[in-house]
mmCIF file of all heavy atoms in Angstrom:
data_model
loop_
_atom_site.group_PDB
_atom_site.id
_atom_site.type_symbol
_atom_site.label_atom_id
_atom_site.label_comp_id
_atom_site.label_asym_id
_atom_site.label_seq_id
_atom_site.Cartn_x
_atom_site.Cartn_y
_atom_site.Cartn_z
ATOM 1 N N TRP A 74 -161.431 28.050 27.800
ATOM 2 C CA TRP A 74 -160.834 26.810 28.054
ATOM 3 C C TRP A 74 -159.296 26.980 27.959
ATOM 4 O O TRP A 74 -158.900 27.684 26.969
ATOM 5 C CB TRP A 74 -161.288 25.569 27.078
ATOM 6 C CG TRP A 74 -162.621 25.205 27.438
ATOM 7 C CD1 TRP A 74 -163.819 25.827 27.233
ATOM 8 C CD2 TRP A 74 -163.001 23.950 28.112
ATOM 9 N NE1 TRP A 74 -164.955 25.151 27.585
ATOM 10 C CE2 TRP A 74 -164.492 23.940 28.095
ATOM 11 C CE3 TRP A 74 -162.357 22.843 28.542
ATOM 12 C CZ2 TRP A 74 -165.228 22.878 28.831
ATOM 13 C CZ3 TRP A 74 -163.174 21.841 29.188
ATOM 14 C CH2 TRP A 74 -164.543 21.843 29.183
ATOM 15 N N VAL A 75 -158.453 26.424 28.780
ATOM 16 C CA VAL A 75 -157.070 26.487 28.751
ATOM 17 C C VAL A 75 -156.367 25.215 28.610
ATOM 18 O O VAL A 75 -155.917 24.564 29.635
ATOM 19 C CB VAL A 75 -156.538 27.259 30.078
ATOM 20 C CG1 VAL A 75 -155.107 27.591 29.827
ATOM 21 C CG2 VAL A 75 -157.246 28.515 30.258
ATOM 22 N N PRO A 76 -156.363 24.577 27.422
ATOM 23 C CA PRO A 76 -155.866 23.246 27.243
ATOM 24 C C PRO A 76 -154.253 23.325 27.274
ATOM 25 O O PRO A 76 -153.686 22.188 27.324
ATOM 26 C CB PRO A 76 -156.171 22.835 25.848
ATOM 27 C CG PRO A 76 -156.463 24.150 25.077
ATOM 28 C CD PRO A 76 -156.910 25.230 26.112
ATOM 29 N N ALA A 77 -153.562 24.398 27.417
ATOM 30 C CA ALA A 77 -152.300 24.513 27.452
ATOM 31 C C ALA A 77 -151.562 23.718 28.647
ATOM 32 O O ALA A 77 -150.542 23.268 28.612
ATOM 33 C CB ALA A 77 -151.750 25.924 27.482
ATOM 34 N N ASN A 78 -152.336 23.718 29.792
ATOM 35 C CA ASN A 78 -151.882 23.040 30.866
ATOM 36 C C ASN A 78 -151.672 21.504 30.630
ATOM 37 O O ASN A 78 -150.547 20.936 30.952
ATOM 38 C CB ASN A 78 -152.963 23.160 32.115
ATOM 39 C CG ASN A 78 -153.003 24.567 32.567
ATOM 40 O OD1 ASN A 78 -152.010 25.324 32.619
ATOM 41 N ND2 ASN A 78 -154.158 24.976 33.026
ATOM 42 N N TYR A 79 -152.636 20.876 30.018
ATOM 43 C CA TYR A 79 -152.508 19.459 29.773
ATOM 44 C C TYR A 79 -151.412 19.302 28.576
ATOM 45 O O TYR A 79 -150.692 18.327 28.616
ATOM 46 C CB TYR A 79 -153.787 18.911 29.337
ATOM 47 C CG TYR A 79 -154.838 18.662 30.373
ATOM 48 C CD1 TYR A 79 -155.884 19.600 30.729
ATOM 49 C CD2 TYR A 79 -154.725 17.521 31.167
ATOM 50 C CE1 TYR A 79 -156.696 19.363 31.688
ATOM 51 C CE2 TYR A 79 -155.490 17.320 32.215
ATOM 52 C CZ TYR A 79 -156.526 18.188 32.563
ATOM 53 O OH TYR A 79 -157.395 18.018 33.487
ATOM 54 N N VAL A 80 -151.447 20.162 27.598
ATOM 55 C CA VAL A 80 -150.657 19.913 26.470
ATOM 56 C C VAL A 80 -149.089 20.051 26.928
ATOM 57 O O VAL A 80 -148.263 19.220 26.488
ATOM 58 C CB VAL A 80 -150.808 20.979 25.378
ATOM 59 C CG1 VAL A 80 -149.745 20.865 24.297
ATOM 60 C CG2 VAL A 80 -152.143 20.715 24.835
ATOM 61 N N GLU A 81 -148.915 21.061 27.829
ATOM 62 C CA GLU A 81 -147.445 21.170 28.268
ATOM 63 C C GLU A 81 -146.918 19.976 29.097
ATOM 64 O O GLU A 81 -145.825 19.555 28.880
ATOM 65 C CB GLU A 81 -147.375 22.449 29.162
ATOM 66 C CG GLU A 81 -146.019 22.796 29.603
ATOM 67 C CD GLU A 81 -145.968 24.085 30.437
ATOM 68 O OE1 GLU A 81 -146.942 24.881 30.279
ATOM 69 O OE2 GLU A 81 -145.010 24.311 31.315
ATOM 70 N N ILE A 82 -147.788 19.511 29.817
ATOM 71 C CA ILE A 82 -147.429 18.311 30.642
ATOM 72 C C ILE A 82 -147.275 16.969 29.669
ATOM 73 O O ILE A 82 -146.377 16.261 29.913
ATOM 74 C CB ILE A 82 -148.369 17.969 31.875
ATOM 75 C CG1 ILE A 82 -148.370 19.182 32.807
ATOM 76 C CG2 ILE A 82 -148.043 16.765 32.589
ATOM 77 C CD1 ILE A 82 -149.531 19.155 33.781
ATOM 78 N N PHE A 83 -148.126 16.893 28.896
ATOM 79 C CA PHE A 83 -148.273 15.746 27.888
ATOM 80 C C PHE A 83 -147.142 15.633 27.004
ATOM 81 O O PHE A 83 -146.728 14.556 26.698
ATOM 82 C CB PHE A 83 -149.633 15.824 27.146
ATOM 83 C CG PHE A 83 -149.975 14.453 26.481
ATOM 84 C CD1 PHE A 83 -150.528 13.318 27.357
ATOM 85 C CD2 PHE A 83 -149.782 14.211 25.191
ATOM 86 C CE1 PHE A 83 -150.894 12.267 26.773
ATOM 87 C CE2 PHE A 83 -150.127 12.974 24.734
ATOM 88 C CZ PHE A 83 -150.717 11.957 25.495
ATOM 89 N N THR A 84 -146.474 16.777 26.681
ATOM 90 C CA THR A 84 -145.298 16.809 25.900
ATOM 91 C C THR A 84 -144.018 16.910 26.610
ATOM 92 O O THR A 84 -143.037 16.998 25.898
ATOM 93 C CB THR A 84 -145.461 18.054 24.844
ATOM 94 O OG1 THR A 84 -145.491 19.171 25.568
ATOM 95 C CG2 THR A 84 -146.719 17.909 23.924
ATOM 96 N N ALA A 85 -144.110 16.985 27.939
ATOM 97 C CA ALA A 85 -142.853 16.906 28.660
ATOM 98 C C ALA A 85 -142.147 15.504 28.878
ATOM 99 O O ALA A 85 -142.805 14.557 29.158
ATOM 100 C CB ALA A 85 -143.158 17.480 30.114
ATOM 101 N N GLY A 86 -140.816 15.571 28.620
ATOM 102 C CA GLY A 86 -140.121 14.285 28.694
ATOM 103 C C GLY A 86 -140.058 13.714 30.068
ATOM 104 O O GLY A 86 -140.167 12.509 30.314
ATOM 105 N N VAL A 87 -140.066 14.508 31.081
ATOM 106 C CA VAL A 87 -140.021 14.123 32.546
ATOM 107 C C VAL A 87 -141.247 13.322 32.907
ATOM 108 O O VAL A 87 -141.167 12.311 33.527
ATOM 109 C CB VAL A 87 -139.856 15.394 33.473
ATOM 110 C CG1 VAL A 87 -139.799 14.844 35.000
ATOM 111 C CG2 VAL A 87 -138.541 15.963 33.241
ATOM 112 N N PHE A 88 -142.370 13.788 32.454
ATOM 113 C CA PHE A 88 -143.595 13.212 32.797
ATOM 114 C C PHE A 88 -143.672 11.700 32.168
ATOM 115 O O PHE A 88 -143.994 10.691 32.881
ATOM 116 C CB PHE A 88 -144.880 14.005 32.155
ATOM 117 C CG PHE A 88 -146.094 13.238 32.296
ATOM 118 C CD1 PHE A 88 -146.790 13.152 33.476
ATOM 119 C CD2 PHE A 88 -146.696 12.578 31.166
ATOM 120 C CE1 PHE A 88 -147.990 12.463 33.557
ATOM 121 C CE2 PHE A 88 -148.006 11.965 31.152
ATOM 122 C CZ PHE A 88 -148.643 11.973 32.562
#
Side-chain angles (χ1 to χ4, degrees):
W74 291 75
V75 186
N78 292 329
Y79 285 102
V80 172
E81 182 177 342
I82 296 168
F83 200 74
T84 56
V87 175
F88 173 76

